[in-house]
Amino acid sequence: MSFTLGTTSMTPPIALAPMAGITDRPFRDLVRSFGVGLMVSEMVASQEMVQSKPGVRERAELSADVENTAVQLAGREASWMAEAARQVADRGARMIDINMGCPAKKVTSGYSGSALLKTPDHALSLIEAVVAAVDIPVTLKTRLGWDDNCLNAASVAARAEAAGVQMVTIHGRTRCQFYKGRADWAAIRAVKDAVSLPVLANGDIVDSQTATAALDRSGADGVMIGRGIQGKPWLLAQVASDLWGNAAPQVPEGAELIQMVSAHYEAMLSFYGSDLGLRVARKHLGWYMDLAQTPAPLRRAVLIEKDPAEVLRLLPDALSQPQREGAA
């Protein structure tokens, strides 16, 4: 199971989901270091990027010119979406992904993200504008529908394919479900049956077993993994090894784990600056310590510490617990 989108080879067909505040450049570089997979940037607001709002261009430039990397754009106006697409393409982006899946109220209240499922004609105008603006592949990420009374992912995907979209990723929930309940992988099959382009299944895929189940039930061509990778940057490579026979990643333990987490921490401080970097790093350190089963007092000490040097001093003890959960 493999396919090519422009210069990007989806071999094997596995991708890192865009997650705001998580799949930033330091984390994506770390995931990439384990090999395989399509990297998708954090969602970039098209109008804010074109207007040079602080911080937005940095998100759009997250390894945009690196192989197997897509920049995800969100918006509600065709002109802004098209101009943002042109700008990231000029910066070397290999692929553009259109966000029609974000359920956050601050996004949907602006008629972007998954709110576009309620207005498929308008959504199509955005897709057409982006496809016409660039020569690189355009993909689409969306959900099953707005709610149980608006399950229109299959028809939206078919129209997107006709407009020139080259791949669709479906999160197996409606917008109104947010992240509650379980992703309905079987419902993704209707989208796969409606199009001839590649389809990725997304939602609740946290290891090789759930990836296999999602592929079986959806009939999808591949998977996109989001929250399951938190604290496990090797997970894409592990799933690729288990499902498609790629080389197994060397899952870091002991001194190697401490070195990896410390380097990731320092990369976040370098990328964001010390003040913001400290805040951004806390969630990642928390996930690493979840996996290490760090005792609560030590965990708290790491997360409230404001001196980077002291955090680095504490990490060896925090990550050297005798029992850790499985790698995948």
Side-chain angles (χ1 to χ4, degrees):
M1 296 176 67
S2 65
F3 48 91
T4 300
L5 302 171
T7 62
T8 299
S9 174
M10 291 292 291
T11 308
I14 188 168
L16 174 66
M19 294 179 284
I22 299 172
T23 55
D24 55 17
R25 179 172 183 172
F27 186 66
R28 286 170 49 208
D29 286 348
L30 178 56
V31 173
R32 185 181 292 106
S33 72
F34 288 94
V36 311
L38 172 69
M39 306 288 112
V40 185
S41 78
E42 298 172 87
M43 179 184 71
V44 178
S46 56
Q47 183 174 346
E48 293 179 358
M49 195 201 102
V50 174
Q51 294 176 331
S52 301
K53 294 290 182 67
V56 176
R57 286 183 183 270
E58 288 78 0
R59 290 199 296 273
E61 291 168 2
L62 299 185
S63 310
D65 59 344
V66 175
E67 186 179 3
N68 282 35
T69 297
V71 174
Q72 189 184 69
L73 297 177
R76 63 179 182 272
E77 297 294 338
S79 59
W80 292 118
M81 289 285 286
E83 180 56 29
R86 282 189 287 267
Q87 289 191 12
V88 296
D90 288 345
R91 288 180 175 80
R94 310 295 181 90
M95 190 185 311
I96 291 173
D97 187 59
I98 297 175
N99 182 304
M100 282 179 53
C102 181
K105 185 175 181 180
K106 66 179 181 180
V107 175
T108 58
S109 62
Y111 305 104
S112 299
S114 55
L116 290 167
L117 288 164
K118 296 193 293 184
T119 56
D121 289 344
H122 178 60
L124 187 66
S125 72
L126 304 186
I127 292 169
E128 291 173 337
V130 172
V131 171
V134 296
D135 294 325
I136 58 177
V138 176
T139 63
L140 174 68
K141 186 174 190 294
T142 187
R143 289 184 167 231
L144 296 175
W146 175 257
D147 57 24
D148 288 342
N149 296 316
C150 180
L151 298 173
N152 59 347
S155 61
V156 168
R159 296 181 70 182
E161 179 179 24
V165 161
Q166 297 186 33
M167 183 178 76
V168 174
T169 301
I170 304 293
H171 183 112
R173 289 182 175 90
T174 65
R175 182 273 175 182
C176 290
Q177 285 180 277
F178 288 87
Y179 297 99
K180 297 177 182 177
R182 297 293 301 173
D184 187 353
W185 300 321
I188 298 173
R189 188 173 289 273
V191 178
K192 179 58 184 171
D193 291 343
V195 298
S196 59
L197 47 71
V199 174
L200 301 186
N202 175 233
D204 294 344
I205 300 173
V206 298
D207 53 25
S208 298
Q209 290 71 36
T210 49
T212 298
L215 289 171
D216 289 345
R217 296 178 195 173
S218 67
D221 302 282
V223 295
M224 177 176 279
I225 296 179
R227 291 172 292 166
I229 204 169
Q230 294 169 352
K232 302 176 183 178
W234 53 82
L235 182 60
L236 289 188
Q238 185 67 62
V239 173
S241 174
D242 293 342
L243 271 63
W244 294 291
N246 285 69
Q250 183 65 45
V251 178
E253 295 184 346
E256 291 183 354
L257 176 66
I258 294 166
Q259 182 180 16
M260 184 200 78
V261 174
S262 298
H264 184 197
Y265 179 68
E266 292 180 309
M268 287 184 279
L269 297 181
S270 176
F271 184 73
Y272 290 106
S274 181
D275 290 343
L276 180 56
L278 279 169
R279 297 196 296 274
V280 171
R282 286 176 184 142
K283 53 180 169 285
H284 289 281
L285 295 181
W287 292 322
Y288 290 131
M289 289 189 289
D290 286 344
L291 194 62
Q293 300 181 356
T294 307
L298 181 53
R299 174 192 174 92
R300 183 174 186 274
V302 171
L303 295 181
I304 66 173
E305 180 57 57
K306 296 182 180 179
D307 180 358
E310 182 63 12
V311 172
L312 290 169
R313 189 189 72 79
L314 291 170
L315 282 178
D317 285 341
L319 299 172
S320 296
Q321 302 310 305
Q323 294 182 338
R324 297 197 296 115
E325 298 176 12

